[in-house]
Every structure is written in C-alpha cells, then in structure tokens.
Amino acid sequence: MFKKILISIIVFYFLVLIQTSFLVHFTIFDAVPNIVLILVIIWNLLEKRKNYLGLINALIGGFFLDIFSVGFIGFYVLILVGLAIFIKLIFKRYVQIPFIDKI
Amino acid sequence: MKLSYKKNKVLIMVVVVILLVFLLNVFQKEVRSLFYSFSAPIQKVLFRAGESTSDFFQGIVRLKTLKQELDELKIENQELLSQVVALENLKKENKSLRQALGLGLQEDFKLSSAQVVGRDISQDFILIDKGAQDNISKDMPVITEQRVLVGKISQVYENSSKAMLISHKESSFDVKIQKEEKDITGIVKGQGNSKVLLDFVPREENLSQGDIVVTSVFGGIFPKGLLVGRIKQIKKSDVEPFQQAEIEPFFHISQTNNLFIILEF
C-alpha cells in the first residue's frame, strides 16, 4: 500500500506540474483542462467500493492542486475527497454502469 | 467494542487531517515557497515545451486564416511605420525643447526581468521565477517587453512570485483612451477567464472599436502609458449613465516568455 501511495504522490505531482505549465497553452474556451480531477473521477469510478486508494488519490491530488493555486490549502482536497466519497458511496450504489461493473 | 475502536480511529484521523490543514495554512507561504523552489526548473521546461507544441499545432490549424491575417498585419505595419516616423520627429523636437528649457529627459522604469513558469489552475494568476531574493515586493507592476501591462505582484515567495493578471476579478485600475480631441478616462475591471471590461466611461464620450486603452496616472497603481488592450465591443444603453466596452487584452499568456517587473516608477 505504501508503495502505491508513493507512486500516486509522484504521479499527481507531475500531473499538476503538467497542468499548470504545459496545458496552459491548450485552453478550451479559456479554461485549462483539469487532468487531476478527471483522473480522480475515473479512478473512483473504476475502483471497487471496498478499496480506498481512490480516496487517498483524491487527497493527494487535491493537496498538489492547493499548493499550485492561490486559495487556502484544503479547498481542492475538500472538493476532490467529497467527489470521491460521492462516487463511492452514493453514485456507485444507485447507478449501475455495465461497462464499469465488469472491470 | 470493535465498533468503538473503529469509530475512534476514524475520529483520530479526522482530527489529524484538520490539524494538518490548519498547520499547512498557517505556514502556507513557507510550504508553497518550498514546493515552488524545487518545481520551478521543471515547470520552466514544461512551459517552453507547451509553448512550442501549441505553436506547432496552431500553425497547422490556422493555416487558412494566416494569409488573411498576414495581409492585415502588413497594412497595419505600414500605418504604424508612418506613425513611428511622425513620432520620431516629435521626439527630436521634444528633446531639443527640453534641452532649451534645461529639463532632463524623463527616466524610464527600473526593471527586473522574469520568466513565466506556470499558470494558476484557478486562472488569472501566473507564477514567475523571481522572488524576495531579487528585491521583488507586493503590488509591483508586471509588464512585457512591448510595455504591455500584465498585472501586479500579489504574493512573493523566496525564489518565485505570483502575479495577479489584469483579468482577475479583483483587479481594477484607471485607464485612458487617447483621442485627438481629448482623452477619455475610465476604469478597467477584470472579469475572470482572461476577460477585461472597460467601465465608467460617460455615455456622451465617443468610443470606437479598435481604440487603444492605456493606463493613466490617476490610480497610482501602475505607471501611465502602459498598453492594456484594444476595444472589441461597446455596450451602450440609454438608461445607464455610463457605457462599457469589452477589451481584448494585448497580453496573452501563451505568447509571452519574458516579463519585466517594474521595481520603481
């Protein structure tokens, strides 16, 4: 588990750097694609409900987004963790997606 | 018993997270400064790579419109060249008059160059590679090589700083539109997402599309005469005492490498 968390930290750190420095040149309607948010959503959708690496990833991704933004540290952590909890506890309980459930 | 142990564990974790967030916010300047100092070299490389990749793809996508744009720019260039010649003559005249009156030439700003290393994910903030070590302090204006206003320094770290772009919602400053008969004054307000609005221009003033907006001396935030943008669309209403106009800022993040921070003006 520790190894997985370490890999997540490295991956999310570089993703945030790519998002803030590389992707700023590829805006869609003046907005930069939030790849961290996309990855957290996909991870939590694909992960089994009993596993909680998706929540930890949301925490790590949110932390790095907070570091490279202006607001208070914890803002993106709250948003991403909240989103991960929503997907795991509510969305996946009531919505069944055949393609995802097979994985 | 087992359940209460589990409950306690969750409670401890929640308390630890809250404490950690609190501590991180207390020392947020130091934490961010640490991250920015070792991330800046990587960000610089990524920023340049992004710029060249986007230039390459934009060249392919805009191949059709480039010819038309080139023709328009050629015409504009000719017009500007004639203006430059006229201004050169005025400059010489001004210089000789100043010499005759015993006045010194107006000094330019004291500048410090910087490079963009990233853009804030919440938009309208950029991260530059100069900080407290380079005598940068809060509220210093940031401009480009062409004297285009970019914004002002909002947060200073050890080796880097955050600059708030003029398009940020909290940004507002005095400007003027130079006309032959008389200058029109107004206030430029940031709208977020790289959008800028000109406001508080009296209804009777004659604004026109393409007018150049520059900073004025009244606000005292920025030095006068810095280029802000070009008027894109005018919003005029019979019931409102003031007219507004959408401005197309001259500054664009993907077209700017080097910036300058005005240390003194």
Side-chain angles (χ1 to χ4, degrees), chain A residues 55-73:
Chain A
L55 287 174
I56 296 170
N57 280 345
L59 193 88
I60 297 165
F63 171 73
F64 283 125
L65 283 180
D66 278 326
I67 288 293
F68 288 92
S69 66
V70 176
F72 77 95
I73 298 174

Side-chain angles (χ1 to χ4, degrees), chain B:
Chain B
M1 188 66 187
K2 211 175 178 181
L3 191 74
S4 92
Y5 171 72
K6 208 174 176 182
K7 261 186 182 175
N8 279 342
K9 211 175 158 186
V10 172
L11 198 73
I12 290 166
M13 271 181 75
V14 170
V15 171
V16 168
V17 168
I18 290 169
L19 265 174
L20 202 69
V21 168
F22 177 74
L23 277 173
L24 281 171
N25 277 293
V26 171
F27 300 106
Q28 60 165 291
K29 202 176 170 184
E30 289 77 12
V31 175
R32 283 191 168 126
S33 186
L34 177 78
F35 271 97
Y36 295 161
S37 60
F38 65 76
S39 305
I42 311 166
Q43 283 188 292
K44 247 187 221 178
V45 174
L46 286 170
F47 197 85
R48 303 289 160 261
E51 200 172 41
S52 40
T53 317
S54 114
D55 282 350
F56 174 73
F57 285 112
Q58 265 187 9
I60 296 169
V61 173
R62 293 173 58 213
L63 210 58
K64 277 183 186 173
T65 53
L66 277 178
K67 173 84 180 74
Q68 192 191 343
E69 221 168 278
L70 186 71
D71 291 340
E72 282 170 12
L73 283 172
K74 271 181 185 170
I75 295 165
E76 200 180 331
N77 192 31
Q78 280 167 356
E79 283 171 10
L80 288 171
L81 275 174
S82 64
Q83 277 183 30
V84 166
V85 173
L87 287 170
E88 280 294 332
N89 289 334
L90 280 172
K91 196 181 168 185
K92 275 180 198 164
E93 198 182 309
N94 190 8
K95 198 178 168 183
S96 56
L97 281 170
R98 277 180 176 274
Q99 273 173 352
L101 289 166
L103 294 170
L105 280 172
Q106 197 186 352
E107 279 188 18
D108 247 353
F109 322 118
K110 198 178 167 192
L111 301 168
S112 172
S113 70
Q115 283 191 318
V116 185
V117 291
R119 185 176 176 176
D120 194 291
I121 45 154
S122 48
Q123 309 285 300
D124 305 309
F125 278 97
I126 51 168
L127 189 66
I128 53 173
D129 66 345
K130 288 281 165 77
Q133 278 186 349
D134 311 283
N135 298 324
I136 306 298
S137 55
K138 210 181 160 195
D139 292 335
M140 281 179 172
V142 184
I143 59 170
T144 67
E145 285 170 85
Q146 296 80 26
R147 289 169 77 106
V148 169
L149 181 65
V150 175
K152 64 176 181 179
I153 302 288
S154 65
Q155 188 77 263
V156 185
Y157 304 104
E158 205 51 37
N159 299 311
S160 52
S161 312
K162 273 207 172 144
M164 185 170 83
L165 301 180
I166 53 166
S167 54
H168 190 267
K169 279 181 179 169
E170 280 174 26
S171 161
S172 75
F173 53 93
D174 288 86
V175 289
K176 64 179 179 183
I177 299 109
Q178 283 167 325
K179 291 269 185 183
E180 272 177 32
E181 50 282 17
K182 75 164 189 174
D183 291 350
I184 301 169
T185 55
I187 289 175
V188 159
K189 290 192 217 164
Q191 299 288 291
N193 279 339
S194 309
K195 289 190 180 81
V196 177
L197 184 84
L198 173 68
D199 204 352
F200 295 108
V201 177
R203 201 177 49 198
E204 59 277 7
E205 298 289 5
N206 190 23
L207 285 178
S208 38
Q209 245 180 357
D211 279 351
I212 307 284
V213 181
V214 295
T215 53
S216 84
V217 76
F218 297 121
I221 310 166
F222 300 118
K224 64 174 181 179
L226 297 176
L227 294 165
V228 177
R230 204 189 288 270
I231 290 182
K232 204 162 85 177
Q233 197 184 2
I234 301 156
K235 296 169 185 171
K236 214 171 184 176
S237 160
D238 289 339
V239 286
E240 297 288 336
F242 297 106
Q243 55 181 317
Q244 294 180 322
E246 264 182 47
I247 295 177
E248 195 185 343
F250 286 130
F251 167 71
H252 200 278
I253 184 139
S254 56
Q255 291 160 1
T256 314
N257 268 336
N258 299 317
L259 297 177
F260 291 94
I261 300 144
I262 302 177
L263 302 174
E264 274 173 38
F265 64 92

